[in-house]
Amino acid sequence: MENSILVMSNKWDAHADAVIKVIQKNGGSVVRINTEDFRQNEVVFSAGASSSDWSIITPEGREISRETIDGVYIRRIKMPIDVSDVEEDWQDFTHKESAVVLESLESLLEDKVWLNRPYARAKASNKIRQLLFAQEVGLDIPRTIITNKESYAKEFCMKKTSIYKTLSCPMLEH
């Protein structure tokens, strides 16, 4: 049996759907984990003095393990994990425990081909790091200030037309 590409996303992600269609059109096999439904999977990890073994079995009976996965594609992995079936006092704990298992897949499948490793995505999405890298490789960057001091920001903006870009979330609600 041929190995699969693991696609981790959420069930509303049309981009992941499109990637899966292309992989399948080209004869590839895909197993998908939607993070919000992660707890519906059967997870087994065992370790001993000299060995360890692990697997995740999807509700459809597909196995995810070091032996069955050749590559990994992740999109929108930060979606919440559904814990609505858990007693309220235990929901935060259950969510965090499930998230650790999802995050550990990077280590468990470290020798596989990854389209977008989580640590590399996190590093690449840091806007301060992006700015410094652009400068380092010789790109022209606009005069920039990053500050939490209002007077510095006002002084900077008084000198010429300015734009503001968030460092983290793209939207502010008020």
Side-chain angles (χ1 to χ4, degrees):
M1 184 174 164
E2 80 179 31
N3 286 349
S4 298
I5 304 297
L6 172 60
V7 175
M8 294 173 33
S9 187
N10 66 72
K11 58 186 162 192
W12 302 282
D13 184 4
H15 292 95
D17 295 340
V19 167
I20 289 170
K21 284 180 184 174
V22 170
I23 293 169
Q24 291 172 333
K25 180 181 175 187
N26 288 296
S29 174
V30 174
V31 61
R32 181 173 181 160
I33 292 179
N34 292 319
T35 55
E36 67 278 7
D37 297 330
F38 179 68
R39 291 183 51 253
Q40 295 175 14
N41 296 284
E42 177 184 302
V43 178
V44 178
F45 179 86
S46 61
S50 62
S51 68
S52 65
D53 192 28
W54 67 276
S55 67
I56 298 172
I57 307 298
T58 69
E60 302 80 31
R62 301 285 306 275
E63 180 182 2
I64 300 167
S65 69
R66 186 173 288 117
E67 293 77 26
T68 63
I69 299 298
D70 283 335
V72 184
Y73 174 62
I74 294 180
R75 269 192 51 88
R76 309 277 191 235
I77 195 167
K78 294 295 182 190
M79 291 294 291
I81 297 166
D82 184 14
V83 293
S84 61
D85 63 322
V86 176
E87 188 177 320
E88 190 173 341
D89 291 346
W90 292 96
Q91 286 183 353
D92 186 53
F93 172 79
T94 303
H95 183 273
K96 287 177 181 173
E97 294 291 292
S98 299
V100 167
V101 174
L102 274 171
E103 291 166 6
S104 71
L105 287 174
E106 184 173 11
S107 296
L108 295 170
L109 294 169
E110 69 183 343
D111 60 332
K112 304 303 177 178
V113 174
W114 283 73
L115 182 60
N116 48 356
R117 288 189 180 272
Y119 78 85
R121 286 181 52 183
K123 186 176 178 181
S125 67
N126 181 297
K127 291 186 176 72
I128 296 171
R129 183 175 278 129
Q130 291 172 1
L131 183 70
L132 294 173
F133 182 75
Q135 191 175 40
E136 181 182 311
V137 298
L139 296 177
D140 288 332
I141 61 168
R143 193 165 164 264
T144 303
I145 185 172
I146 299 169
T147 183
N148 65 348
K149 189 154 174 70
E150 184 179 357
S151 61
Y152 293 170
K154 284 182 177 179
E155 179 184 338
F156 182 85
C157 292
M158 296 295 251
K159 293 180 180 174
K160 56 171 69 174
T161 303
S162 301
I163 62 167
Y164 175 82
K165 183 170 177 124
T166 63
L167 294 175
S168 59
C169 61
M171 294 177 36
L172 296 173
E173 294 183 24
H174 57 282

